[in-house]
Amino acid sequence: MSKLRKLNRTALYMRLSRDDEKAGESMSIENQRAILRKFVSENDGAITDEYIDDGWSGTDFDRPGVKRLLDDAKGGKIDTIVVKDLSRFGRNYIQVGQYIDYIFPAYGIRFIALSDNVDTADRTSAGMDMMPIMNVFNEWHAANTSKKIRAVLEANWRQGRCTNWAYPYGYKAGTDENRTAVIDEPAAKVVRRIYDMRLQGNSACAIARALTDEGIPTPAAYYTRLDGKKANRRSSPWWSPKTVADILKDTTYTGTLTQHRTTRFSYKNHKVLNVPESERIVRENAHEAIIDRQTWDKVQAINNSVSRGRHDKANMVHPLSGLLICPDCGKKLKGKSGGRDRIYMYCCRTYVDLGKRYCTSHSITEKQIESIVLQDIRSMLGRVEIDEERAKEHFFKERAKCGERNRLSDEKRLHSFNDRLAELDKLIQSAFEEKVLGNLPESMCKSLFEKYQVEKESAQRQINMLEEQIAAVNEMDAEVEEYIAQLKRYANCEELTREMCLQLIEFITIGERPSDDTPREIHIYYKFISYQTLAEYRGQTTK
């Protein structure tokens, strides 16, 4: 071998991906090492170092082994790189070509791929001529493998098999074929407490602070204790509001398995993208629920409420904090203690921040507004118990104003379309019978069949739409029943609580105090009724 072809300061590069492991021992790191060492030994070469990327895809060039290899090449520590074949170095034909044709020659590096007969010391060889084609084929193999993996994953998702590498806090992997989530009771107990605290009106920040103060391990710390392994990612030992907020909106806790939440841009670009909710694969009742649906719905209603609630200096959230709104400027009323007696009261935020040129104070003491709200709820309880049917009738009337269909009209139309669908089936059958008997020409039979089929498809679409609308109305029945049940549940309350306010009230507008004897306008907007006051059931306006 000439001096040019001697293997001085040789680097051995080896790579194995998760997919390559399925190919068996022939692709293993040990097998690659044996082949490369034998080649260097037979050519009287000297090995400087070995560079290994175990478990890395060939389409990803952000690999630690490749990075270290390039750094040593730039530093002049090596002058030859040997790999088993081109696919071990990479499966991105653009980047592989860039390294072999531009980067390595710039640093005087010789590149050898044994199985593909590629040696940059001999640019005229057949292996070098075939190199671009082999790089393209290697990338095609990566693309094809990626496509197959996605198809297998989707098939597993459709069959209800959990492919997530980790389970939400409160669950662990089951031992069955589908890896069905199983409740991890110590963690599930914390999850239930988080939901209970949210129902009581505590914010995510307050919940995180309470869990941290009590020394409850975070999800990351909890799992570390279970498997005894140190987490690769550095994590905080304290609960964060984001961790709590994520738990409070995860549908997994209701027994719902949601997969395909994220995807990669492509097999080459590994940027993670969120999948739209409409394209995710959802399976109801896939495992045992930690949180019942009723509790879940209440918590989501609180999360979506206009109220965010602020802590005062005593670290307390007042019952109506964040629920009071100025009807003139639309800003929320700010709570503060003032005056000689340090009375807690609410004032328009615009007035507090910018002064009376921009809005008036709309001030009201906490004691006054809480008394008005509590009295209004109590006054309605007896009325609702006596006249629930009228309350329900008003509920549906208000929903109809917001675009809901009349239930009776929809049911009548649904019945009519079902009758017509049955008639069309009879007409189609009759047309075929007449054709068979020779009483109807084939061309006319075909024409009638196409006409009936078009009408049948149209009728079926209308039936589907009406059934969805009727189902939505039935859901409204459940909503108003739940609302009345909530009112009855709070019938004996002696004072307003944060939980009560978040469950019943959407928001309250506080009008300015009039200079004359005109009643002050305070409108309480309750949930479920399209922001119409329950007081209007009695034909009154809350003052």
Side-chain angles (χ1 to χ4, degrees), residues 43 66 68 71 106 116 148 181 197 222 228 230 269 276 309 311 341 367-368 391 428 455 470 513:
N43 289 277
V66 169
R68 191 165 68 88
D71 288 341
D116 296 325
K148 289 179 180 178
M197 292 178 72
Y222 177 76
K230 187 175 181 181
N269 186 336
H311 291 77
D341 298 328
K367 185 176 180 181
Q368 285 177 319
I428 291 172
E455 186 178 353
I470 291 171
R513 287 177 294 184

Coordinates of all heavy atoms in Angstrom, one line a residue, residues 43 66 68 71 106 116 148 181 197 222 228 230 269 276 309 311 341 367-368 391 428 455 470 513:
N43 N -4.4 -3.7 7.3 CA -3.7 -2.7 6.5 C -2.7 -1.9 7.3 O -2.3 -0.8 7.0 CB -4.8 -1.7 5.9 CG -5.6 -2.3 4.8 OD1 -5.2 -2.4 3.6 ND2 -6.8 -2.8 5.1
V66 N -21.1 12.0 15.9 CA -20.7 12.8 14.7 C -20.1 14.1 15.1 O -19.1 14.6 14.5 CB -21.9 13.0 13.8 CG1 -21.6 14.0 12.6 CG2 -22.3 11.7 13.1
R68 N -18.5 15.0 17.8 CA -17.1 14.8 18.4 C -16.2 14.4 17.2 O -15.0 14.8 17.2 CB -17.2 13.7 19.4 CG -15.9 13.6 20.2 CD -16.1 12.7 21.5 NE -16.3 11.3 21.2 CZ -15.4 10.4 21.0 NH1 -14.1 10.7 21.1 NH2 -15.7 9.2 20.8
D71 N -15.3 17.6 15.4 CA -14.4 18.4 16.2 C -13.0 17.9 16.1 O -12.0 18.7 16.0 CB -14.9 18.5 17.7 CG -16.2 19.3 17.8 OD1 -16.5 20.1 16.9 OD2 -16.8 19.1 18.9
A106 N -11.9 19.3 3.1 CA -11.3 20.6 3.5 C -10.4 20.4 4.7 O -9.4 21.3 4.9 CB -12.5 21.5 3.9
D116 N -19.5 -0.6 0.7 CA -19.9 0.1 -0.5 C -18.7 0.4 -1.4 O -18.8 1.1 -2.4 CB -20.6 1.4 -0.2 CG -21.9 1.1 0.5 OD1 -22.6 0.1 0.2 OD2 -22.3 1.9 1.4
K148 N -43.7 3.1 7.1 CA -44.2 1.8 7.7 C -44.5 2.0 9.2 O -45.4 1.5 9.7 CB -43.2 0.7 7.4 CG -43.1 0.3 5.9 CD -42.1 -0.8 5.8 CE -42.0 -1.2 4.3 NZ -41.0 -2.3 4.1
A181 N -53.8 1.7 30.7 CA -53.3 2.5 31.9 C -54.0 2.0 33.1 O -55.2 1.7 33.1 CB -53.7 4.0 31.7
M197 N -59.2 20.9 45.1 CA -58.7 22.3 45.5 C -59.2 23.3 44.4 O -59.5 24.4 44.7 CB -57.2 22.3 45.6 CG -56.7 21.5 46.9 SD -54.9 21.5 47.0 CE -54.6 23.2 47.5
Y222 N -41.4 11.9 41.6 CA -42.1 10.7 42.0 C -41.7 9.5 41.2 O -41.4 8.4 41.7 CB -43.6 10.9 41.9 CG -44.5 9.7 42.2 CD1 -44.7 9.3 43.5 CD2 -45.1 9.0 41.2 CE1 -45.4 8.2 43.8 CE2 -45.8 7.9 41.5 CZ -46.0 7.5 42.8 OH -46.8 6.4 43.1
G228 N -35.9 4.4 40.5 CA -34.6 4.5 41.0 C -33.6 5.1 40.0 O -32.4 5.2 40.3
K230 N -32.0 8.2 37.8 CA -31.9 9.6 37.8 C -32.4 10.2 36.5 O -32.0 9.7 35.4 CB -30.4 10.0 38.0 CG -30.2 11.5 38.2 CD -28.8 11.9 38.5 CE -28.6 13.4 38.7 NZ -27.2 13.7 39.0
N269 N -36.8 16.2 9.2 CA -36.9 17.3 10.2 C -37.7 16.9 11.4 O -38.9 16.6 11.3 CB -37.7 18.5 9.4 CG -37.7 19.7 10.3 OD1 -37.6 19.7 11.5 ND2 -37.9 20.9 9.6
P276 N -53.9 18.9 15.3 CA -55.2 19.5 15.6 C -56.1 18.5 16.3 O -56.0 17.3 16.1 CB -55.8 19.9 14.2 CG -54.6 20.0 13.3 CD -53.6 19.0 13.8
G309 N -59.2 35.4 39.7 CA -59.0 35.5 41.1 C -57.6 35.9 41.5 O -56.7 35.3 41.0
H311 N -54.9 36.9 44.8 CA -54.7 36.7 46.2 C -54.4 38.1 46.8 O -53.7 38.9 46.2 CB -53.5 35.8 46.5 CG -53.7 34.4 46.1 ND1 -53.6 34.0 44.8 CD2 -53.9 33.3 46.9 CE1 -53.8 32.7 44.8 NE2 -54.0 32.2 46.0
D341 N -61.4 52.2 58.5 CA -61.7 50.9 59.0 C -61.1 49.7 58.2 O -61.5 48.6 58.5 CB -63.2 50.7 59.1 CG -63.8 51.8 60.1 OD1 -63.1 52.1 61.1 OD2 -65.0 52.2 59.8
K367 N -69.0 43.4 51.5 CA -70.1 43.0 52.3 C -71.4 43.2 51.6 O -72.3 42.4 51.6 CB -70.1 43.7 53.7 CG -71.2 43.3 54.6 CD -71.0 44.0 56.0 CE -72.1 43.5 57.0 NZ -72.0 44.2 58.3
Q368 N -71.5 44.4 50.9 CA -72.8 44.8 50.2 C -73.0 43.8 49.0 O -74.1 43.3 48.9 CB -72.7 46.2 49.7 CG -72.8 47.3 50.7 CD -72.7 48.6 50.1 OE1 -71.8 48.9 49.3 NE2 -73.5 49.6 50.6
A391 N -88.9 27.4 34.6 CA -87.5 27.7 34.4 C -86.9 27.0 33.2 O -86.1 27.6 32.5 CB -86.8 27.2 35.7
I428 N -87.7 2.3 -5.0 CA -86.5 1.7 -5.6 C -86.8 0.2 -5.8 O -86.5 -0.4 -6.9 CB -85.3 1.9 -4.8 CG1 -84.9 3.4 -4.8 CG2 -84.1 1.1 -5.3 CD1 -83.7 3.8 -3.9
E455 N -82.1 11.7 -3.9 CA -83.1 12.2 -2.9 C -82.8 11.5 -1.6 O -82.9 12.0 -0.5 CB -84.5 12.0 -3.4 CG -85.5 12.6 -2.4 CD -87.0 12.5 -2.9 OE1 -87.2 12.0 -4.0 OE2 -87.9 12.8 -2.1
I470 N -81.1 17.5 17.9 CA -81.9 17.0 19.0 C -81.1 16.5 20.1 O -81.4 16.7 21.3 CB -82.8 15.9 18.4 CG1 -83.9 16.4 17.5 CG2 -83.5 15.2 19.6 CD1 -84.7 15.4 16.7
R513 N -73.3 54.2 41.2 CA -74.3 54.6 42.2 C -74.9 55.9 41.6 O -74.2 56.9 41.4 CB -73.6 54.9 43.5 CG -73.3 53.7 44.3 CD -72.6 54.0 45.6 NE -71.3 54.6 45.3 CZ -70.4 54.9 46.3 NH1 -70.7 54.7 47.6 NH2 -69.3 55.5 46.0

